[in-house]
Amino acid sequence: MSDLTRLTISQARAKLRGKEITATEITEAYLSAIDRANPALNAYVAVTGDRARDMAKASDARLVKGEGGALEGIPLGIKDLFGTEGVHTQACSHVLDGFKPLYESTVTANLWADGAVMLGKLNMDEFAMGSSNETSYYGPVINPWRRSRLDTVVMPTTHQGDGGFVSAGGTKTQRSLDNAQLVPGGSSGGSATAVSAFLCAGATATDTGGSIRQPAAFTGTVGIKPTYGRCSRWGIVAFASSLDQAGPIARDVRDAAILLRSMASVDPKDTTSVDRPVPDYEAAIGKPIKGMKVGIPKEYRVDGMPEEIEALWQKGIAWLRDAGAEIVDISLPHTKYALPAYYIVAPAEASSNLARYDGVRYGLRVPGKDIVEMYEKTRAAGFGREVKRRIMIGTYVLSAGYYDAYYLQAQKVRNLIKRDFENVFAAGVDVILTPATPSAAFGIADEDMAADPVKMYLNDIFTVTVNMAGLPGIAVPAGLDPKGLPLGLQLIGRPFEEETLFQTAAVIEQAAGTFQPEKWW
Amino acid sequence: MSVDLQTVKRVARLARIAVSEEDAERMTGELNAILGFVEQLNEVDVSGVGPMTSVTPMEMKKRQDVVTDGNKAADIVANAPATEENFFLVPKVVE
């Protein structure tokens, strides 16, 4: 039998329903792929093999009776930020050592209700703070993609067989992989690597400033951050509550649409969950985009952006124009302030949300001579450097005398960023096309970024605006750079118009194709 | 604005994170790099603009003020590092 892990969700769904394969078979195929690959890629921090087998067995029983749900028997990976009952849920932080919630997050509960199978919990940046998946307590995730070189090889003249055939020689080109390990992006680096390396059919992820879209772009996968309020945040470890949204990472646009439909819901347990029915996103795929107005924001052309990113953007524009869309130049004048405003708002909210890790109710406790020393030692030992940095910034900008200058100013700028988008949408723009990231995947332990936290933050320059305005954004692979690494384009839509994003992303995907890494692990 | 070593130590105390002298010195540089980066927000004219208070314009959802959950004391303390009879145990707070 061919490798079941290579099937997309839509292909596997058809084969499961058609009883050509069983949920148990596909689950076993993924579990053995994880077994072989995880030592090299470090995508999973916990594999739930027994539970996966039980869930698959139950799925098979339902499939036999023709009672399968929308995701019946589809094996998924779950980011460690999602609360999963009785299973490792630690936001990849030391401070949550041993935490196993007695409840299930709404998003994962929705997935299980639709018949999905849980393979395990995926690595991520600690508390979703990072753009390279290097801040995880469980070590970095490795990108399955590696840089490659095109070599021209001279073919030797050969004599062959009895007939004395002599080949004339000549040259051919071949790609050879470089050994340098690259980051998968972050914070959902485990999700992106697992999907790209065929270690799950699809994965859950979360996005506070780009944590779904940037890793998707770095691994040649599709990632969508839906509109704020579309997926319930209940049961997801909180980072910055006004920015956090869950979404899927998948191998193609259709799979992302299938997953989002199951993940999204109206949830009374999250007061910011929006009362709107969840549409059939998949139905938007294949609809023509003729006459659609696509905005190209001039502010996304930044200094020092590599040529290949600009070239990719132009290719995307051409594809959409060829499909009948109308391309218009637009301006989002406050774009450059989104990242600095984010680095006030997100740390401020994080410093409040992470106050709960005090060594009393869950996780790590380091004893002290009194309760304050116990708190301080627990938090000093439990949080990594990046998390501490952000808690410190957040505490500072919220402290007496600085609140107005920093936090209030940032929240006002945030309204201006949102207004920029509202203005272009009011002018008739349906969707905005930008690059997803300012570069392709970079190396593990990049010295420049380690020396200057702001350099790392710049990875999110094109994605963070979307979180600040609460809009939906999708990253879709659009090509390879000269070193053979995937690059992505981003589409930004009006609130709750995820269907437009799937519709448009499918056009890009059809023109660009899909991308798989060459297996070295 | 920038922070000095004393301010960093004060903020660490507010955030309940123990820092060594070496940590505080390193953090001073890092925090100043970030504060320098966010400084550019001061050039934005925000006159007449209110702060964002709701990401999606919607009324706060309310529910009936009735008990919908509870009687889960054992669940609540299940993950605590130290408990006794469904209470969280902490070092002595009051002498």
Side-chain angles (χ1 to χ4, degrees):
Chain A
M1 187 181 289
S2 64
D3 185 356
L4 297 180
T5 65
R6 295 270 159 171
L7 298 174
T8 62
I9 291 175
S10 60
Q11 290 166 343
R13 180 179 65 180
K15 287 187 188 291
L16 285 161
R17 286 181 186 168
K19 301 189 176 69
E20 289 173 58
I21 60 170
T22 65
T24 299
E25 286 166 351
I26 192 167
T27 298
E28 291 296 345
Y30 277 113
L31 288 172
S32 56
I34 294 167
D35 234 23
R36 288 191 302 267
N38 213 47
L41 300 175
N42 201 27
Y44 282 85
V45 292
V47 179
T48 52
D50 291 345
R51 179 169 306 209
R53 289 183 182 101
D54 288 347
M55 290 174 101
K57 210 170 148 191
S59 282
D60 281 328
R62 285 190 291 269
L63 284 160
V64 162
K65 288 190 269 178
E67 292 171 359
L71 288 170
E72 200 67 63
I74 303 292
L76 302 178
I78 302 299
K79 189 177 182 180
D80 199 33
L81 205 62
F82 290 81
T84 42
E85 194 175 349
V87 173
H88 188 287
T89 299
Q90 297 180 23
C92 287
S93 176
H94 185 32
V95 86
L96 269 169
D97 264 5
F99 183 64
K100 290 192 167 96
L102 286 105
Y103 52 83
E104 189 77 27
S105 79
T106 299
V107 164
T108 48
N110 290 342
L111 293 170
W112 315 143
D114 276 351
V117 171
M118 175 165 67
L119 293 168
K121 299 301 285 289
L122 294 164
N123 205 340
M124 54 180 281
D125 278 304
E126 182 182 6
F127 284 107
M129 298 178 190
S131 302
S132 65
N133 213 124
E134 293 173 289
T135 73
S136 168
Y137 180 64
Y138 298 90
V141 177
I142 309 301
N143 194 328
W145 287 84
R146 287 180 162 181
R147 292 189 193 103
S148 60
R149 247 195 349 261
L150 273 181
D151 295 322
T152 304
V153 187
V154 179
M155 304 293 288
T157 303
T158 51
H159 299 267
Q160 211 174 25
D162 290 341
F165 168 77
V166 181
S167 101
T171 62
K172 68 165 190 175
T173 55
Q174 65 179 34
R175 269 194 186 279
S176 56
L177 286 185
D178 186 294
N179 282 332
Q181 293 187 327
L182 304 180
V183 303
S187 67
S188 311
S191 306
T193 280
V195 171
S196 174
F198 304 97
L199 306 183
C200 59
T204 66
T206 60
D207 190 315
T208 304
S211 285
I212 290 175
R213 291 157 290 157
Q214 184 251 16
F218 277 13
T219 55
T221 54
V222 176
I224 181 167
K225 180 204 94 69
T227 314
Y228 185 79
R230 182 64 290 180
C231 289
S232 171
R233 291 181 296 107
W234 194 85
I236 301 174
V237 177
F239 161 15
S241 306
S242 78
L243 300 157
D244 297 345
Q245 255 298 291
I249 292 182
R251 296 209 203 112
D252 65 16
V253 174
R254 183 175 297 277
D255 283 6
I258 293 170
L259 287 171
L260 182 60
R261 189 185 185 187
S262 287
M263 290 170 74
S265 62
V266 180
D267 185 9
K269 288 191 283 196
D270 174 1
T271 54
T272 60
S273 155
V274 171
D275 285 319
R276 270 174 175 258
V278 180
D280 178 5
Y281 297 118
E282 210 183 338
I285 294 167
K287 283 194 183 158
I289 60 160
K290 196 166 163 37
M292 191 181 281
K293 222 179 206 186
V294 179
I296 310 299
K298 65 169 193 249
E299 290 81 5
Y300 283 63
R301 195 160 281 118
V302 295
D303 290 344
M305 190 162 86
E307 254 171 63
E308 56 264 27
I309 302 283
E310 175 66 30
L312 183 87
W313 200 6
Q314 292 307 322
K315 261 200 309 193
I317 292 170
W319 289 329
L320 297 182
R321 187 185 285 125
D322 291 347
E326 183 193 344
I327 307 295
V328 289
D329 287 324
I330 59 168
S331 174
L332 299 162
H334 296 92
T335 298
K336 69 176 272 211
Y337 301 112
L339 200 61
Y342 175 85
Y343 274 98
I344 291 175
V345 174
E349 294 185 14
S351 75
S352 303
N353 274 327
L354 273 61
R356 73 191 72 180
Y357 305 105
D358 57 5
V360 175
R361 285 159 292 171
Y362 21 64
L364 186 72
R365 170 184 286 196
V366 179
K369 66 178 185 327
D370 56 23
I371 194 162
V372 172
E373 194 182 273
M374 188 269 283
Y375 291 153
E376 291 186 338
K377 283 185 161 180
T378 298
R379 290 163 65 81
F383 294 134
R385 275 191 187 189
E386 183 60 29
V387 173
K388 282 183 200 167
R389 201 146 50 212
R390 297 203 197 185
I391 292 174
M392 293 284 286
I393 284 285
T395 306
Y396 178 69
V397 300
L398 291 177
S399 64
Y402 296 102
Y403 179 87
D404 287 4
Y406 287 111
Y407 189 71
L408 207 61
Q409 178 77 5
Q411 287 290 48
K412 287 177 180 174
V413 171
R414 192 171 172 191
N415 252 345
L416 288 171
I417 293 161
K418 190 170 182 225
R419 201 179 288 175
D420 283 353
F421 283 107
E422 286 165 356
N423 289 341
V424 302
F425 290 135
V429 167
D430 296 296
V431 68
I432 297 166
L433 178 72
T434 77
T437 56
S439 75
F442 47 88
I444 295 266
D446 184 287
E447 283 178 17
D448 281 356
M449 296 206 204
D452 179 0
V454 175
K455 274 221 170 80
M456 182 65 87
Y457 298 169
L458 288 170
N459 268 288
D460 292 335
I461 191 160
F462 298 141
T463 47
V464 77
T465 50
V466 176
N467 302 76
M468 293 303 270
L471 300 171
I474 191 168
V476 56
L480 300 178
D481 78 355
K483 289 175 179 149
L485 295 181
L487 295 172
L489 288 169
Q490 173 179 239
L491 293 158
I492 304 167
R494 293 188 176 128
F496 299 102
E497 292 194 10
E498 282 82 5
E499 287 159 289
T500 310
L501 298 187
F502 287 120
Q503 182 186 355
T504 316
V507 172
I508 293 176
E509 180 178 77
Q510 197 165 26
T514 56
F515 304 89
Q516 289 83 35
E518 192 180 314
K519 195 170 171 196
W520 53 264
W521 57 89
Chain B
M1 271 179 271
S2 62
V3 292
D4 57 16
L5 192 64
Q6 274 321 103
T7 310
V8 168
K9 287 182 183 169
R10 184 177 61 83
V11 173
R13 181 83 182 162
L14 283 173
R16 296 284 186 265
I17 296 173
V19 289
S20 66
E21 199 64 28
E22 193 190 331
D23 291 338
E25 273 168 28
R26 195 193 64 244
M27 282 179 177
T28 306
E30 292 169 352
L31 263 52
N32 280 328
I34 298 166
L35 292 171
F37 175 65
V38 303
E39 195 98 312
Q40 52 184 305
L41 291 177
N42 294 330
E43 68 197 51
V44 185
D45 179 8
V46 293
S47 43
V49 182
M52 181 182 278
T53 50
S54 172
V55 186
T56 308
M58 61 185 270
E59 206 177 321
M60 174 86 152
K61 281 198 226 171
K62 300 174 197 75
R63 63 168 179 85
Q64 291 299 312
D65 187 13
V66 291
V67 176
T68 58
D69 206 353
N71 295 321
K72 287 184 180 167
D75 283 8
I76 304 291
V77 300
N79 275 289
T83 62
E84 201 176 292
E85 293 172 12
N86 288 345
F87 284 92
F88 295 111
L89 282 189
V90 296
K92 201 175 200 177
V93 179
V94 183
E95 287 300 327

